[in-house]
Amino acid sequence: MATGFSDTETFAQIPDSFFRRLLNEIDDRDELKVTLYALWRIGNMEGHVHYLRSQDFAACVPQPGPALEKALKRGSLLRASPPPPAPDAQAEPAPLYFLNSPRGRAAAEALVKGQWQPDPTGAMPALPERPNIFKLYEDNLGPLTPLIADALQDAEKTYSPEWVSEALGIAVKNNKRNWKYVEAILRRWKEEGHAKKQDRRNSQEDGRRYAEGEYADFIEH
């Protein structure tokens, strides 16, 4: 019997169109499995290009071929292959699978044009372990309240996990352990842009900017 979901795990983002259309249309269990697996696995990948190989789907369906064909026909997934290899190549490159999203379509088109090449070892990127936003808050700022939980849920929809983690780190470093301080940092990054390796000030300057600048009203001194 399943023990339920924990408060320390992350949750997958599923497109609204899956619930509005695909969930009612898909009547094959294996097709549903490979579709959900692709949404979850690709959604947790890092880097610029996100794809899967057919063997990767064996984690949810031992023989995924027929289910993948159905997902391709439905338009949930895309399949693309690199340009034909040189005449002396030992084997044809295996096709790759992408989500049928703007990012997936762009990656598939670029692959066909030879603008990038998949990892020749066939290795799939490791799934990053990311604490969810509630655990990040409790580990860095303190116990959750219902109001803070609502604010965190809103932030999770607006900002990337990397931004939230980095903003929390700045708050801890500057001993400003309250959510309004973190939120002010995130809002500023969203409005003015956030370049991780450009125009970076040291932590003392960051603290003065947020504690004494235009967001001073949000900070508890």
Side-chain angles (χ1 to χ4, degrees):
M1 179 181 294
T3 58
F5 305 110
S6 73
D7 60 359
T8 60
E9 60 186 321
T10 58
F11 288 83
Q13 292 186 346
I14 306 295
D16 292 343
S17 58
F18 176 85
F19 297 100
R20 292 173 178 164
R21 183 175 61 85
L22 292 178
L23 187 59
N24 291 325
E25 290 182 0
I26 298 174
D27 56 7
D28 180 84
R29 182 183 63 178
D30 287 348
E31 181 190 352
L32 181 62
K33 284 184 175 182
V34 297
T35 302
L36 285 171
Y37 182 80
L39 287 167
W40 168 71
R41 190 66 184 84
I42 290 177
N44 281 280
M45 287 181 178
E46 297 180 334
H48 297 295
V49 182
H50 302 164
Y51 62 87
L52 293 166
R53 292 180 168 88
S54 61
Q55 61 265 32
D56 299 326
F57 291 93
C60 62
V61 177
Q63 300 294 331
L68 289 172
E69 291 299 325
K70 290 182 179 181
L72 290 167
K73 184 176 180 180
R74 195 176 302 280
S76 309
L77 302 179
L78 301 172
R79 180 169 57 200
S81 300
D88 58 348
Q90 295 182 352
E92 291 281 336
L96 307 180
Y97 294 84
F98 306 83
L99 287 179
N100 191 358
S101 64
R103 185 172 192 168
R105 291 190 289 271
E109 182 179 351
L111 176 68
V112 172
K113 293 179 178 179
Q115 295 175 352
W116 66 275
Q117 290 292 323
D119 183 348
T121 66
M124 186 168 62
L127 183 65
E129 292 290 338
R130 292 176 180 164
N132 67 22
I133 196 169
F134 300 110
K135 187 173 188 300
L136 280 172
Y137 181 92
E138 290 180 317
D139 288 348
N140 290 279
L141 300 189
L144 280 173
T145 67
L147 286 176
I148 289 295
D150 289 342
L152 293 176
Q153 286 180 324
D154 290 340
E156 196 170 31
K157 297 174 184 176
T158 306
Y159 309 107
S160 71
E162 292 80 10
W163 280 27
V164 174
S165 179
E166 188 174 353
L168 283 166
I170 292 174
V172 171
K173 185 179 293 185
N174 293 321
N175 199 28
K176 304 293 183 182
R177 295 175 184 267
N178 67 81
W179 176 248
K180 287 184 177 179
Y181 180 83
V182 176
E183 199 170 34
I185 296 173
L186 292 169
R187 256 199 324 269
R188 186 181 188 112
W189 285 346
K190 184 179 180 182
E191 292 169 358
E192 300 182 4
H194 174 259
K196 200 166 189 178
K197 295 183 179 180
Q198 297 177 4
D199 301 326
R200 298 304 304 270
R201 296 183 173 91
N202 60 37
S203 60
Q204 184 176 4
E205 290 172 333
D206 282 335
R208 283 200 301 269
R209 185 176 69 209
Y210 294 112
E212 301 172 7
E214 58 186 300
Y215 298 113
D217 291 340
F218 296 109
I219 311 304
E220 297 176 5
H221 293 285

